[in-house]
Amino acid sequence: MDWEIELVVVIGRYAVFVEQELGWDHVAGLTVGQDLSERQLQLRGPAPQYSLGKSYAGFGPIGPAVVTLDEIPDPSDVELNCVINCEDIQRDRSSSMIFKVPELIAHISGVCAMYPGDLIFTGTPSGIGNRRVPQRFLQDGDELVSRIERLGEMRHRFRKAERK
């Protein structure tokens, strides 16, 4: 299992064909997201199924709260940080993201309508496990801390699943 700290956008009002410069107007708030990925499942089969490897129960946790934009001095520039067992493994700023929040809202709303409460996981900084050399994945007993400046943090302890 792999990790991906992500800034999560919570849509606050109906959004369809939104112009990029109006993207932030459709945001109710931001929260911390952890886009967990089971890489073997993603890459298995005749063709990769990236969404399937992110679809297990408990994957994609968000929290600890939705923070409104007026509580964040610059919502386009917050620090994202991910730590495994006290080791800093991902650290960057949302201002470094390839796709900015208004651009994502404009693009997605041009394909499908979004409604209040819809979530956008915006992408992750470098440092995920399957891109490391050597690769690294979450192990039994690992503690994963996902935090974003001004939004809070989540802590998850991983245990190997017992199959029946």
Side-chain angles (χ1 to χ4, degrees):
M1 186 179 345
D2 206 346
W3 59 84
E4 297 181 36
I5 177 74
E6 296 199 30
L7 177 68
V8 176
V9 173
V10 181
I11 295 298
R13 65 184 184 131
Y14 180 72
V16 65
F17 299 111
V18 175
E19 295 178 30
Q20 187 169 325
E21 52 274 3
L22 300 176
W24 283 112
D25 295 344
H26 294 270
V27 176
L30 303 173
T31 192
V32 180
Q34 183 47 253
D35 187 10
L36 298 170
S37 301
E38 206 288 338
R39 300 294 185 202
Q40 289 180 343
L41 180 61
Q42 283 184 322
L43 302 174
R44 189 179 328 151
Q49 296 293 317
Y50 293 101
S51 294
L52 192 58
K54 298 171 180 284
S55 299
Y56 284 104
F59 278 33
I62 61 168
V66 176
V67 179
T68 58
L69 299 182
D70 63 329
E71 298 178 76
I72 308 165
D74 184 356
S76 65
D77 185 34
V78 292
E79 184 179 72
L80 294 83
N81 179 229
C82 194
V83 173
I84 297 178
N85 303 330
C86 300
E87 180 187 347
D88 201 31
I89 54 171
Q90 285 185 285
R91 183 180 297 273
D92 206 344
R93 300 195 70 80
S94 59
S95 56
S96 301
M97 292 172 34
I98 295 170
F99 301 107
K100 309 300 185 216
V101 168
E103 184 179 359
L104 290 170
I105 291 171
H107 179 71
I108 294 167
S109 72
V111 175
C112 62
M114 291 184 287
Y115 296 88
D118 284 351
L119 304 176
I120 301 172
F121 278 66
T122 61
T124 193
S126 64
I128 62 174
N130 77 333
R131 299 292 168 91
R132 291 175 170 266
V133 178
Q135 290 184 332
R136 177 179 178 182
F137 298 102
L138 292 168
Q139 302 295 316
D140 186 41
D142 282 348
E143 182 184 51
L144 179 66
V145 179
S146 309
R147 69 174 61 100
I148 300 180
E149 175 185 23
R150 303 215 178 250
L151 305 183
E153 74 175 34
M154 297 184 294
R155 291 177 175 267
H156 297 95
R157 175 83 54 191
F158 290 84
R159 297 286 177 221
K160 185 173 182 166
E162 294 183 26
R163 305 243 180 215
K164 295 184 179 187

